[in-house]
Amino acid sequence: MHHPALVAVDARVDPAECQSMADVRQGVDALDRALVALLAERQRYMDAAARIKPDRDAVFDQARIDDVVAKVLVAAEAHHLSPEIAEPVWRLIIDRCIAHEFATYDRTRS
């Protein structure tokens, strides 16, 4: 069983303590690197889904999309992330992940 390391976030100044745009940019860049690592792991789950799903019709699942967005909005509220950021960002992530999963499904089944 593979256990990847936890995603590390580089040292940064707390947003409330930032004194300059350099501090702000350093924090944003550090978080972006961590988000890329998390999105790459999420993509690997899409690869697993493409491998596991029995047929191509199972790739797009509207009920699951609605469930994911609802869960994200609950988490966003708990973390004080604006739903105006969370919902469209996750809908785009989901859309691109479904496209990736279709491509992976087709590539591995042909």
Side-chain angles (χ1 to χ4, degrees):
M1 181 179 273
H2 181 254
H3 295 284
L6 293 174
V7 172
V9 182
D10 296 337
R12 64 209 178 278
V13 177
D14 184 279
E17 304 300 321
C18 287
Q19 299 297 314
S20 68
M21 283 308 300
D23 289 344
V24 170
R25 290 177 181 137
Q26 179 189 22
V28 169
D29 292 349
L31 291 169
D32 284 345
R33 288 188 293 274
L35 286 167
V36 166
L38 288 168
L39 287 169
E41 182 174 351
R42 193 181 198 284
Q43 178 180 296
R44 291 192 294 277
Y45 282 105
M46 297 306 96
D47 293 338
R51 172 175 49 80
I52 292 166
K53 287 182 180 176
D55 58 71
R56 198 175 193 276
D57 290 342
V59 172
F60 182 88
D61 182 345
Q62 188 62 53
R64 174 62 179 154
I65 293 168
D66 296 341
D67 181 56
V68 168
V69 171
K71 289 173 181 173
V72 162
L73 289 173
V74 169
E77 184 174 10
H79 288 276
H80 308 289
L81 172 62
S82 167
E84 287 77 22
I85 293 174
E87 184 164 355
V89 166
W90 257 268
R91 287 196 182 276
L92 180 60
I93 289 170
I94 292 164
D95 177 73
R96 296 293 79 219
C97 284
I98 290 169
H100 175 82
E101 189 180 332
F102 271 122
T104 302
Y105 186 95
D106 292 344
R107 187 178 65 251
T108 59
R109 298 300 201 290
S110 49

